[in-house]
Amino acid sequence: MDLKFKNKKITGILSILPSTIVRFEDEMVNYNFSAAKSLKLKMAMGYNTHHVAKEGQCSSDFCIYGLQYLFDTGLLKKEDIDALLFVSQSPDYFMPPTSNVIQGHFSLKHDIICLDINQGCAGYEIGLIEAFMLLDQDSINKVVLMNADVLSSKVSKRDRNSNPLIGDAAAITIVEKDDEGSTIHANVQMDGNNAFALMIPAGGFRLPSSLKTSIMKEDEAGNFRSKDNLVMKGDDVFNFVMREVPLMIDHLLECANINKNDVDWFMFHQPNKFMLNKLADAIKVPRDKMPSNIVENFGNSSGATVPLNISFNLGENLVNGSAKVCLAGFGVGLTWSSVFMNMKSLKFNRIINL
Amino acid sequence: MKERIISILSNLRPEFDFTQPLNFIEEGMLDSFDIINLVTELETTFHVTIDGIDVLPENFASLESIMNLLKKNGAE
């Protein structure tokens, strides 16, 4: 689905990381790999360190910490927030919505829209699209988009497919109206036929968590996980990304009438280094225009990886200058989505730690 | 080419005999992470870049399929 928006802009990005850092070498003993094989994979996949939340730290804790930072530093005023979007797959509760919990924590005005969106790896693009649509309303001038996930606690420590790369993080993006803004192009695709390629089988209403769902079992590849843990059909997801994402990017840039060479940065979701390098090759863009260093430094934090990627790799460059960026996310749902826009003169673009 | 591929495979999974006419995937001789390591080794050894769309288990199921994949990507 092609989408187009006018007069919208991103005015700030704040990424919030847990201060607990785990090293791949320290976890290697948990996996059914020889040390030599693990170290080869480390190089290919970009495993190194990942940031994980402490026990009991929830997605909202990171958002609240980040919002408090923005209020304290004068970068955001409470009364200016017209909509609060929370995109996550690890909400604090089934009910109430985490966005309402955050609104309540800060006693934000009642004349506001709070909305939780259940999305993962494409959650940044989906969240931005929702923010752009809300900003079409006369009464909405500023949207706070929060992408946060603390899924590390849902991954088995003995699952070599997922544990080495999982990370926790949050990001707060301020989206506003812009009188001078150029057109923003976006694309969204979904395939529910493959919805279970990435899932946590137990813990919802279909299969509530129980003693039975917590039993660890070994799969064909030697991974140990329970039905309470995240499970990913890695081969299927890899093939889906290689098949669909290059087509989507080509189509998006064609709609935006821009040559690939004129895009400054391809800021993509960060599943692993191997996949991103193959994706850059498939899209036929230089690998150094598509940063792939988020997994090795912080881990894959689902919908927060794209803003974290922007904060980490572009930082002050977007505060003092501008860039034509192509954003893309792909994963759970299955969902794949992309946004092409010009980003310039952000008020802030930084990382803080909790 | 064949000998060098066998050498890479044997180095990757020394417990298996890759000279046997077996389906490496169905027999559990290569898993998805082995394939990632194998792609990296093949690219370095044969100075080629294997397309991501070709990183499919069936392309690594036998010596013949691996050789075909390499030839498709310009290896000699």
Side-chain angles (χ1 to χ4, degrees), chain B residues 13-57:
Chain B
R13 297 296 296 263
E15 66 270 40
F16 297 119
D17 180 0
F18 287 95
T19 60
Q20 296 296 310
L22 300 169
N23 185 310
F24 303 154
I25 307 299
E26 288 177 4
E27 296 297 323
M29 296 162 75
L30 295 176
D31 63 27
S32 56
F33 281 3
D34 291 321
I35 290 174
I36 289 168
N37 276 335
L38 179 57
V39 167
T40 308
E41 295 280 347
L42 291 170
E43 289 184 334
T44 306
T45 304
F46 294 97
H47 307 291
V48 295
T49 301
I50 295 170
D51 287 343
I53 198 79
D54 289 331
V55 184
L56 298 166

Side-chain angles (χ1 to χ4, degrees), chain A residues 11-12 22 25 30 33 36-37 85 92 105 114 171-172 183 207 234-236 252 262 270 279 293 298 302 313 326 352:
Chain A
T11 55
V22 182
E25 278 85 348
N30 296 332
F33 281 149
K37 187 173 173 182
L85 303 182
D92 291 15
H105 177 88
C114 294
I172 296 170
T183 302
L207 181 62
D235 295 352
D236 291 354
L252 175 78
D262 295 329
Q270 301 278 305
L279 206 44
N293 55 3
F298 310 113
S302 192
N313 287 301
C326 176
I352 60 172

Side-chain angles (χ1 to χ4, degrees), chain A residues 125-169:
Chain A
E125 295 70 29
I126 298 292
L128 282 177
I129 288 166
E130 186 67 33
F132 296 151
M133 291 194 289
L134 287 168
L135 286 164
D136 278 335
Q137 296 299 313
D138 291 340
S139 54
I140 297 178
N141 292 305
K142 187 170 288 198
V143 178
V144 170
L145 167 63
M146 300 172 289
N147 290 86
D149 264 307
V150 288
L151 285 165
S152 65
S153 62
K154 285 291 181 184
V155 173
S156 163
K157 298 286 176 282
R158 298 173 70 191
D159 182 348
R160 64 187 190 186
N161 282 11
S162 302
N163 191 57
L165 55 84
I166 195 74
D168 299 323

Side-chain angles (χ1 to χ4, degrees), chain A residues 51-71:
Chain A
H51 290 233
V52 296
K54 291 185 180 77
E55 192 177 340
Q57 277 185 324
C58 291
S59 297
S60 75
D61 296 331
F62 292 93
C63 296
I64 287 170
Y65 187 75
L67 284 170
Q68 188 66 57
Y69 173 89
L70 293 177
F71 297 145

